[in-house]
Amino acid sequence: AVGVALAGCSGDGGDGGDGGDGGGGVTVDMTDDLVFDPDSVTASVGDTVTWENVGSVGHSVTAYEDGIPDGAGYFASGGFDSEQPARDAYVPGDTDAGDVPGGESYQHTFETAGTYEYFCIPHESAGMVGTVEVQEG
């Protein structure tokens, strides 16, 4: 189940847990209120962020291509390499097309310091956007 949601992502494949102490991870909830909670998090280079869908409504985690640092790897649930293909392919209920259904999660490990802006494809117009600030060690 989680493995399906992680297919194609550059996460470490770990379970992410609750972010834990010293586990090098941060967790963001995706809710039925159509928000990322919290909508802004701070991580260190090498940390994995886990987006957990704690509701029943499907969501995506999709980076704004012009909202990530130069040289940083692009990330999107569904394993897409750029924003437009992720937008074009999104299908509710299809994890291969970027959907993260209720009870599932998506992970990405950040290797480049800087600010990353992302959104949920089906709920972008409702303001479901977020930011990850990645700091050096």
Side-chain angles (χ1 to χ4, degrees), residues 5 81 84 137:
D81 293 329
Q84 196 59 53

Side-chain angles (χ1 to χ4, degrees), residues 1-7 76-80 90-101 104-105:
V2 170
V4 172
L6 297 174
S77 51
F80 297 95
Y90 181 81
V91 175
D94 186 344
T95 57
D96 291 333
D99 189 64
V100 181
E104 300 292 330
S105 65

Side-chain angles (χ1 to χ4, degrees), residues 6-7 18 20 23 32-33 45 47 63 66 68 75 90-91 102 107 118-119 127 134:
L6 297 174
D18 61 1
D32 284 351
D33 292 330
V45 170
D47 280 356
D66 60 357
I68 63 175
F75 66 96
Y90 181 81
V91 175
Q107 294 182 323
Y118 66 93
F119 65 102
V134 179

Side-chain angles (χ1 to χ4, degrees), residues 1 9 31 40 42 46 51 58-59 69 78 89 94 96 116:
C9 89
T31 75
S40 181
T42 301
W51 287 268
H59 298 291
D94 186 344
D96 291 333
Y116 295 76

Side-chain angles (χ1 to χ4, degrees), residues 31-126:
T31 75
D32 284 351
D33 292 330
L34 309 184
V35 297
F36 292 109
D37 183 23
D39 62 1
S40 181
V41 296
T42 301
S44 297
V45 170
D47 280 356
T48 298
V49 174
T50 302
W51 287 268
E52 293 184 359
N53 188 337
V54 298
S56 60
V57 174
H59 298 291
S60 79
V61 178
T62 311
Y64 285 111
E65 203 161 348
D66 60 357
I68 63 175
D70 289 341
Y74 184 79
F75 66 96
S77 51
F80 297 95
D81 293 329
S82 58
E83 182 179 342
Q84 196 59 53
R87 285 182 182 274
D88 292 345
Y90 181 81
V91 175
D94 186 344
T95 57
D96 291 333
D99 189 64
V100 181
E104 300 292 330
S105 65
Y106 167 76
Q107 294 182 323
H108 179 75
T109 301
F110 291 86
E111 302 294 349
T112 303
T115 301
Y116 295 76
E117 298 173 349
Y118 66 93
F119 65 102
C120 172
I121 291 171
H123 305 120
E124 179 183 21
S125 63

Side-chain angles (χ1 to χ4, degrees), residues 8-23:
C9 89
S10 61
D12 63 8
D15 68 2
D18 61 1
D21 294 328

